[in-house]
């Protein structure tokens, strides 16, 4: 089972990383906090202090087309905010 899908790179998360040394990931819905902690520590060679998780429901979307109104939902996902220990950091742009 793949635990971590991708990091969340937004302005809000960049500010949170700079101030509180936290990073966010989109994770598997079935993964618990211990599995997320182990996966982040193994993948990025850092020490994880705390993990907070939240499940987002998909938003209802609709649009108007020639064929009429098309309605649907965006995908739901689970987000994990990981607090790193002092002195540790993750550089997502190191290999660009």
């Amino acid at each position: 089972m793949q635990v971590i899908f991708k990091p969340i790179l937004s302005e809000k998360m960049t500010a949170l990383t700079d101030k509180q040394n936290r990073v966010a990931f989109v994770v598997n819905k079935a993964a618990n906090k211990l599995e997320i902690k182990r996966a982040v520590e193994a993948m990025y060679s850092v020490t994880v202090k705390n993990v907070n998780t939240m499940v987002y429901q998909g938003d209802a979307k609709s649009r108007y087309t020639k064929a009429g109104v098309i309605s649907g939902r965006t995908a739901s996902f689970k987000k994990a905010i990981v607090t790193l220990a002092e002195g540790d950091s993750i550089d997502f742009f190191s290999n660009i």
Side-chain angles (χ1 to χ4, degrees), residues 29 56-62 70-77:
K29 282 188 184 180
Y56 284 89
Q57 296 300 320
D59 293 333
K61 300 278 186 175
S62 63
I70 297 175
S71 60
R73 297 188 73 83
T74 59
S76 62
F77 62 96

Side-chain angles (χ1 to χ4, degrees), residues 51-70:
V51 177
N52 298 93
T53 59
M54 54 206 81
V55 177
Y56 284 89
Q57 296 300 320
D59 293 333
K61 300 278 186 175
S62 63
R63 62 185 175 154
Y64 298 97
T65 63
K66 289 181 181 179
V69 178
I70 297 175

Side-chain angles (χ1 to χ4, degrees), residues 21-93:
N21 204 20
R22 293 180 171 198
V23 290
F25 299 97
V26 176
V27 296
N28 191 336
K29 282 188 184 180
N32 60 29
K33 291 182 181 185
L34 290 174
E35 292 171 342
I36 294 167
K37 179 180 177 178
R38 289 186 193 122
V40 171
E41 287 177 342
M43 188 177 290
Y44 295 105
S45 301
V46 294
T47 304
V48 174
K49 211 163 90 172
N50 192 12
V51 177
N52 298 93
T53 59
M54 54 206 81
V55 177
Y56 284 89
Q57 296 300 320
D59 293 333
K61 300 278 186 175
S62 63
R63 62 185 175 154
Y64 298 97
T65 63
K66 289 181 181 179
V69 178
I70 297 175
S71 60
R73 297 188 73 83
T74 59
S76 62
F77 62 96
K78 185 173 188 176
K79 179 166 95 170
I81 297 178
V82 177
T83 305
L84 301 176
E86 286 292 323
D88 286 343
S89 64
I90 297 175
D91 186 19
F92 295 114
F93 303 107

